[in-house]
């Protein structure tokens, strides 16, 4: 609701990545799709970020302009170590990675639709915020880490980071003698 011009795409991920929405400026489409995101959509559990980052990189490659960012929203329980190297590579390509931490450091047990605890291999599944991992990712990606809370201040700060960078890049482009044309169609 606060977005005023940033184009947004949406990727859901667990063990695999799935494009929920291509990059668009149609926020009503994104808002329409959000309620359908559910853990029941995922058949293979896990938190593997690499596939989601590769998918985001491919989506961003087709976008014009030089101000590109990725926002990772997760508890930080990422299991693939190569994702940090990919975040660094993306930063070298001028794609900034921010992280938004979900959950608490104490952790919460996963609950199924019947109210029971979800178990895997005899162990109750727990989601804990791994803030240090998310700080590492955002640092490697040239971005910032944000804590989740119920106000919209973190959303405003994320949009501010994108706009500040966009203004800086636009001034830099103008000082080099031109602007990047961006088709908007009708």
């Amino acid at each position: 609701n606060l977005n005023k011009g940033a184009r947004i795409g949406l990727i859901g991920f667990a063990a695999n990545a799935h494009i929920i929405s291509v990059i668009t400026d149609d926020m009503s489409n994104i808002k329409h799709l959000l309620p359908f995101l559910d853990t029941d959509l995922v058949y293979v559990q896990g938190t593997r970020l690499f596939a989601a980052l590769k998918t985001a990189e491919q989506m961003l490659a087709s976008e014009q302009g030089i101000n590109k960012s990725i926002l990772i929203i997760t508890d930080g329980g990422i299991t693939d170590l190569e994702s940090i190297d990919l975040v660094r590579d993306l930063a070298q390509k001028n794609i900034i990675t921010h992280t938004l931490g979900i959950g608490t450091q104490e952790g919460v047990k996963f609950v199924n639709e019947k109210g029971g605890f979800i178990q895997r291999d005899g162990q109750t599944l727990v989601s804990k915020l791994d803030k240090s991992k998310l700080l590492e990712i955002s640092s490697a990606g040239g971005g910032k880490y944000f804590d989740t809370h119920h106000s919209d201040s973190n959303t405003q700060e994320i949009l501010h980071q994108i706009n500040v960078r966009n203004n800086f890049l636009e001034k830099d482009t103008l000082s080099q003698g031109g602007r990047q044309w961006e088709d908007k169609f009708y």
Side-chain angles (χ1 to χ4, degrees):
N1 291 334
L2 298 174
N3 180 29
K4 303 286 188 250
R7 293 170 47 81
I8 297 176
L10 185 60
I11 299 169
F13 72 97
N16 299 310
H18 305 280
I19 297 173
I20 307 301
S21 173
V22 296
I23 297 174
T24 181
D25 55 5
D26 182 2
M27 293 307 105
S28 61
N29 184 48
I30 300 281
K31 287 191 275 187
H32 172 74
L33 293 171
L34 282 175
F36 297 106
L37 290 177
D38 193 296
T39 55
D40 292 342
L41 298 173
V42 178
Y43 296 108
V44 181
Q45 297 296 320
T47 308
R48 296 191 193 121
L49 184 57
F50 188 83
L53 289 169
K54 288 304 278 183
T55 303
E57 179 182 27
Q58 292 167 353
M59 288 172 65
L60 289 168
S62 64
E63 286 294 304
Q64 294 182 348
I66 53 177
N67 184 20
K68 299 177 182 182
S69 299
I70 296 172
L71 174 63
I72 301 167
I73 304 172
T74 180
D75 64 2
I78 295 158
T79 57
D80 53 343
L81 301 176
E82 67 269 16
S83 58
I84 300 285
D85 293 331
L86 180 53
V87 166
R88 282 190 190 97
D89 291 344
L90 292 171
Q92 293 296 316
K93 295 176 183 177
N94 212 23
I95 299 173
I96 302 302
T97 302
H98 302 286
T99 56
L100 178 65
I102 301 291
T104 66
Q105 293 178 321
E106 296 79 34
V108 176
K109 294 177 182 178
F110 283 95
V111 179
N112 63 23
E113 65 278 350
K114 296 177 183 173
F117 296 122
I118 299 174
Q119 300 210 349
R120 184 183 301 147
D121 301 326
Q123 299 289 324
T124 301
L125 292 179
V126 177
S127 174
K128 289 184 181 181
L129 175 64
D130 188 348
K131 188 173 181 173
S132 63
K133 178 66 76 179
L134 296 177
L135 284 165
E136 181 183 0
I137 290 169
S138 59
S139 176
K144 289 191 169 189
Y145 168 81
F146 302 93
D147 282 311
T148 303
H149 47 81
H150 295 289
S151 77
D152 62 7
S153 63
N154 56 4
T155 304
Q156 290 175 342
E157 179 61 21
I158 291 165
L159 290 170
H160 175 73
Q161 289 298 315
I162 293 169
N163 290 328
V164 164
R165 185 163 179 265
N166 193 37
N167 291 337
F168 171 76
L169 293 172
E170 186 175 298
K171 287 178 188 173
D172 188 48
T173 302
L174 288 172
S175 70
Q176 294 176 14
R179 285 186 157 210
Q180 178 80 25
W181 181 261
E182 185 176 349
D183 285 323
K184 294 287 188 181
F185 302 100
Y186 331 108

